């Protein structure tokens, strides 16, 4: 089975439920619960992949604070490989640090406060924190060498790594013979294609949501969006369509195909649904499944995610 390196953002999520209205200044509003969860695209993917039986490594950065320790302990608890030291038979120098999880003294751990309404939809405040200072120089290529697949996720929220550094990293991965995957977050700065286009020739699978894809491509229809991405060098296009399912346009094909979503009777919240979809696709791909089988499995994993609170709690083994 193929191994996956998840490169990108880690976030401590404080989830507030159920938010009916925002309190007026100087006042408070009672809610049912406030709970801490792991979040961030790369962390979510690494935990989900581990649950799904795929060997996953994480490469990212936290701050030197309580939120960082919370995320680190969660990764260990979930079985994600964050080995502090390399096995002696792989690196001659005893005790060489090859952990993919770096710690910054210059920025706090990235944190979000998510407000979930009674339908499960969310709004949130987000502090980029250490994700914004994570750079290509922080990546340990000894870990990349171990992996067959590289998933960059959280683009547009990594101020230093976005753009030229992402391109440089993905090019190195392709030179090393790796299969590359990339997912993005909402770009509140509105840079979109300006930041991402330079990396397109080194992306084997581009995996944005439909809203993000429309902003990047400046088109509305999935087929037209895929035309734009393919013309810029991306090899295969996957677009998450939310409740409508997902779209696949394979390299060399003129039209894409929509894969319908599964019906979920009780949606608890939608936190991490897109990341879980990607996790399902990567897990199936790591087992050598066809792209069509990967899409079906990805939809299934995404549906499990929304059936429980948090980004990873609903994922089954």
């Amino acid at each position: 089975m193929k191994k996956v390196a998840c490169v990108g953002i880690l976030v401590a999520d404080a989830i507030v439920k159920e938010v009916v209205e925002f309190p007026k200044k100087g006042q408070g509003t009672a809610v049912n619960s406030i709970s801490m969860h792991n979040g961030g695209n790369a962390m979510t993917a690494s935990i989900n992949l581990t649950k799904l039986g795929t060997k996953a490594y994480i490469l990212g950065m936290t701050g030197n604070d309580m939120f960082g320790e919370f995320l680190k302990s969660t990764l260990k608890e979930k079985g994600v490989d964050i080995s502090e030291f390399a096995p002696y038979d792989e690196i001659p120098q005893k005790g060489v640090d090859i952990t993919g999880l770096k710690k910054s003294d210059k920025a706090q751990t990235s944190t979000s406060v998510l407000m979930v309404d009674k339908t499960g939809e969310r709004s949130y405040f987000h502090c980029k924190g250490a994700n914004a200072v994570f750079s290509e120089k922080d990546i340990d290529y000894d870990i990349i060498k171990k992996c067959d697949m590289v998933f960059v996720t959280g683009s547009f929220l990594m101020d230093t790594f976005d753009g030229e550094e992402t391109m440089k990293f993905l090019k190195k991965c392709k030179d090393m013979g790796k299969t590359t995957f990339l997912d993005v977050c909402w770009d509140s700065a509105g840079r979109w294609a300006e930041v991402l286009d330079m990396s397109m020739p080194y992306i084997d699978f581009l995996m944005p949501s439909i809203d993000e894809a429309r902003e990047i491509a400046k088109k509305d229809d999935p087929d037209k969006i895929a035309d734009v991405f393919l013309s810029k060098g991306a090899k295969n296009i996957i677009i998450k369509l939310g409740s409508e399912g997902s779209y696949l346009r394979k390299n060399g094909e003129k039209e894409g195909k929509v894969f319908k979503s599964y019906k979920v009777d009780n949606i608890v919240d939608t936190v991490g649904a897109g990341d879980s979809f990607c996790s399902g696709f990567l897990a199936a791909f790591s087992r050598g499944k066809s792209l069509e089988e990967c899409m079906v499995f990805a939809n299934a994993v995404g549906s499990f995610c929304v059936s429980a609170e948090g980004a990873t709690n609903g994922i089954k083994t």
Side-chain angles (χ1 to χ4, degrees):
M1 186 184 302
K2 295 178 179 178
K3 300 175 183 178
V4 184
C6 300
V7 182
I9 66 173
L10 302 89
V11 183
D13 284 341
I15 299 181
V16 183
K17 296 179 66 173
E18 295 171 346
V19 177
V20 178
E21 61 181 2
F22 290 99
K24 295 179 181 179
K25 289 184 178 180
Q27 299 182 8
T29 298
V31 294
N32 293 338
S33 66
I34 301 176
S35 53
M36 286 301 302
H37 297 269
N38 56 272
N41 306 46
M43 184 164 186
T44 297
S46 67
I47 291 173
N48 287 347
L49 284 164
T50 301
K51 279 190 172 185
L52 295 166
T54 296
K55 180 69 173 178
Y57 296 82
I58 187 165
L59 296 94
M61 180 173 286
T62 69
N64 187 14
D65 51 36
M66 58 182 286
F67 288 133
E69 289 303 312
F70 166 70
L71 295 180
K72 182 177 179 179
S73 65
T74 301
L75 286 163
K76 286 185 175 180
E77 176 189 340
K78 301 297 184 182
V80 178
D81 196 312
I82 56 169
S83 303
E84 305 263 348
F85 299 99
Y88 301 153
D89 60 344
E90 293 186 19
I91 293 182
Q93 183 180 346
K94 182 178 179 180
V96 173
D97 181 10
I98 67 158
T99 180
L101 188 59
K102 305 300 182 182
K103 185 184 293 184
S104 173
D105 291 319
K106 298 179 181 179
Q108 71 169 77
T109 299
S110 176
T111 308
S112 291
V113 178
L114 299 99
M115 294 148 291
V116 182
D117 66 19
K118 62 183 179 181
T119 70
E121 287 297 332
R122 58 187 167 83
S123 302
Y124 60 93
F125 297 104
H126 177 71
C127 173
K128 292 181 182 178
N131 292 329
V133 300
F134 175 72
S135 71
E136 188 266 339
K137 293 180 180 178
D138 294 312
I139 293 174
D140 205 316
Y141 281 91
D142 287 314
I143 296 176
I144 300 299
K145 289 176 183 177
K146 293 182 177 183
C147 299
D148 311 281
M149 302 158 58
V150 177
F151 181 38
V152 174
T153 179
S155 293
F156 301 136
L157 291 181
M158 297 183 284
D159 293 355
T160 304
F161 186 65
D162 285 339
E164 290 186 8
E165 290 201 4
T166 298
M167 175 188 68
K168 179 181 178 181
F169 170 64
L170 289 172
K171 185 178 185 302
K172 285 185 179 180
C173 290
K174 291 309 301 173
D175 290 342
M176 295 167 68
K178 311 303 179 183
T179 304
T180 58
F181 305 75
L182 186 139
D183 188 15
V184 304
C185 291
W186 185 262
D187 184 10
S188 59
R191 301 160 300 168
W192 299 111
E194 176 187 346
V195 171
L196 188 61
D197 279 0
M198 64 185 79
S199 294
M200 289 286 191
Y202 312 108
I203 301 173
D204 292 315
F205 291 87
L206 180 61
M207 312 175 77
S209 71
I210 182 62
D211 293 333
E212 295 155 348
R214 284 169 174 157
E215 292 292 337
I216 299 167
K218 302 303 179 186
K219 302 289 183 181
D220 287 324
D221 178 74
D223 271 326
K224 292 181 179 179
I225 291 171
D227 285 340
V228 173
F229 294 156
L230 291 168
S231 70
K232 293 179 178 181
K235 306 303 184 295
N236 301 275
I237 312 303
I238 295 167
I239 302 174
K240 292 163 284 188
L241 304 176
S243 61
E244 299 300 315
S246 54
Y247 168 95
L248 169 67
R249 177 83 166 271
K250 294 197 290 187
N251 188 24
E253 295 191 349
K254 294 183 178 180
E255 294 182 349
K257 179 181 179 181
V258 172
F259 294 78
K260 293 183 178 180
S261 62
Y262 289 94
K263 185 178 184 295
V264 179
D265 291 326
N266 181 30
I267 296 177
V268 177
D269 73 42
T270 59
V271 175
D275 300 331
S276 297
F277 170 90
C278 293
S279 304
F281 187 94
L282 292 164
F285 190 93
S286 74
R287 288 167 168 78
K289 300 297 183 181
S290 70
L291 297 189
E292 290 78 8
E293 289 173 314
C294 291
M295 295 294 288
V296 172
F297 190 68
N299 280 347
V301 174
S303 72
F304 273 108
C305 175
V306 302
S307 67
E309 185 177 59
T312 60
N313 290 329
I315 307 306
K316 308 302 179 185
T317 62

